[in-house]
Amino acid sequence: MALAIRLGIPETAGAIPTAARRLGAAVMVSAGALWAPAEERFRLPSARCNLLDMALDSSGFVRHASQGGYPWSVAQYVELAWLVGWSWWSQMDLPCEQQIAPNRAEVLSRVDRSAELYAECLAEARRVRSESGPTSLAAQLSNPVPVLQGRLPEDYARSAERIAKVCGGALPSFVGVGSLCTRPVLGSDGVLAVLTQLDKLLPEQTRLHLYGVKGDAIGEIASFARVASVDSMAWDFRARAAANERWAAMTDEQRAHTQRTKTRNPTAHRLEHMRRWYLRQIQELQESVKC
């Protein structure tokens, strides 16, 4: 089964979801992109997203790295899950990157708390379904996808064990692995080391989604048959970096001319990077399959 790539999209209105639909790309939407802080509630994606294959991520890394935690409750998050036609939705989880969890005690605490959060999301989803009419949107709500967390490969084994207990002894057939956006591909705690550990541990039928994978890691990951899908917003980081470099290289006169003539179009620049990045990843995956 081919590896699927979900484009991470930072906006659910405007040109970006439209461009993703034209590419025929499945997408990953971060809950943080839909949070309205002034109103302390989630807004819904625009109508432009109606035809997209969308999955929901809880925005754990961004929220904990920059803001110290989730500003929304489990109940609010689960409500977002049933109000929108997501292909699937992730549990709320606690990432373990160095800037968030600086020591081993904190890493292990967050691994265990992530399992507890899965139990809370699962219980809330069951409550919503049980209290809803058979024809309501809420009655169709799926269970959340559990997300394994950790720093070292053995932490992910611990995470799998904790979540399996919540599930009655066995993991479901589809499980997330997060978050990998700052993790190297190689090394003792790299993406490949984590996958190798999980490959030995998990039942053969359990397939994985990897959150926040760098583009240059996708080809390596494709060799693991149990990896069903990945998501990445690497295209947007690269687009912004390229735009900043180009702006910095301009003279004051060139910058003034660009501002005066309004020839600087950040959205068009980002869309072109998104298109090129996605098509390149698809091509490289196709070539790796041929090999």
Side-chain angles (χ1 to χ4, degrees):
M1 191 177 297
L3 175 68
I5 299 176
R6 286 187 175 272
L7 271 176
I9 58 172
E11 302 165 13
T12 59
I16 287 179
T18 299
R21 188 172 70 240
R22 288 173 180 166
L23 284 170
V27 302
M28 177 66 76
V29 175
S30 169
L34 297 170
W35 181 247
E39 302 169 27
E40 296 186 342
R41 66 177 181 85
F42 287 108
R43 57 179 177 79
L44 301 183
S46 74
R48 296 191 182 203
C49 294
N50 287 345
L51 299 179
L52 283 171
D53 175 346
M54 298 191 300
L56 176 65
D57 171 47
S58 72
S59 192
F61 174 70
V62 172
R63 290 289 151 174
H64 287 83
S66 63
Q67 300 178 26
Y70 293 113
W72 52 80
S73 67
V74 168
Q76 285 177 302
Y77 182 66
V78 174
E79 182 182 43
L80 176 63
W82 68 258
L83 283 174
V84 179
W86 309 105
S87 296
W88 51 268
W89 59 288
S90 314
Q91 71 158 104
M92 293 168 62
D93 63 311
L94 301 182
C96 300
E97 280 79 359
Q98 179 66 35
Q99 63 267 52
I100 300 172
N103 57 63
R104 290 299 297 160
E106 183 65 19
V107 169
L108 297 180
S109 174
R110 295 177 76 82
V111 166
D112 294 347
R113 177 58 183 145
S114 286
E116 294 171 359
L117 273 172
Y118 175 68
E120 292 173 22
C121 289
L122 183 62
E124 179 64 12
R126 289 171 173 168
R127 184 195 69 77
V128 166
R129 285 197 299 265
S130 68
E131 296 179 3
S132 304
T135 60
S136 71
L137 285 173
Q140 308 305 313
L141 176 65
S142 62
N143 288 337
V145 171
V147 180
L148 308 182
Q149 276 293 355
R151 177 80 57 73
L152 303 175
E154 54 263 36
D155 299 335
Y156 286 88
R158 178 188 178 109
S159 183
E161 179 184 353
R162 297 292 192 274
I163 290 178
K165 286 182 180 179
V166 174
C167 298
L171 290 170
S173 59
F174 188 55
V175 176
V177 182
S179 55
L180 305 174
C181 53
T182 64
R183 190 180 295 267
V185 178
L186 304 177
S188 60
D189 62 346
V191 176
L192 298 187
V194 170
L195 288 179
T196 299
Q197 174 80 356
L198 291 175
D199 216 23
K200 296 175 182 177
L201 171 73
L202 299 179
E204 185 177 351
Q205 68 272 17
T206 302
R207 304 203 71 208
L208 304 176
H209 174 83
L210 310 187
Y211 296 87
V213 172
K214 297 175 183 176
D216 56 5
I218 292 176
E220 300 281 354
I221 289 166
S223 63
F224 288 84
R226 73 165 66 247
V227 180
S229 56
V230 302
D231 71 78
S232 181
M233 204 163 14
W235 64 269
D236 201 24
F237 289 104
R238 292 184 181 181
R240 292 177 186 274
N244 290 336
E245 288 173 5
R246 186 169 59 187
W247 184 256
M250 288 183 180
T251 65
D252 289 343
E253 183 178 352
Q254 288 171 327
R255 289 176 189 154
H257 174 76
T258 298
Q259 292 175 325
R260 185 171 60 253
T261 58
K262 298 182 180 179
T263 54
R264 191 183 189 194
N265 189 334
T267 299
H269 172 78
R270 292 169 71 198
L271 292 178
E272 182 59 19
H273 266 265
M274 183 177 80
R275 186 187 71 83
R276 289 181 180 178
W277 184 91
Y278 181 74
L279 294 178
R280 184 173 66 254
Q281 298 303 326
I282 295 298
Q283 181 181 358
E284 290 179 0
L285 276 180
Q286 290 172 343
E287 290 174 354
S288 68
V289 170
K290 291 177 184 178
C291 295

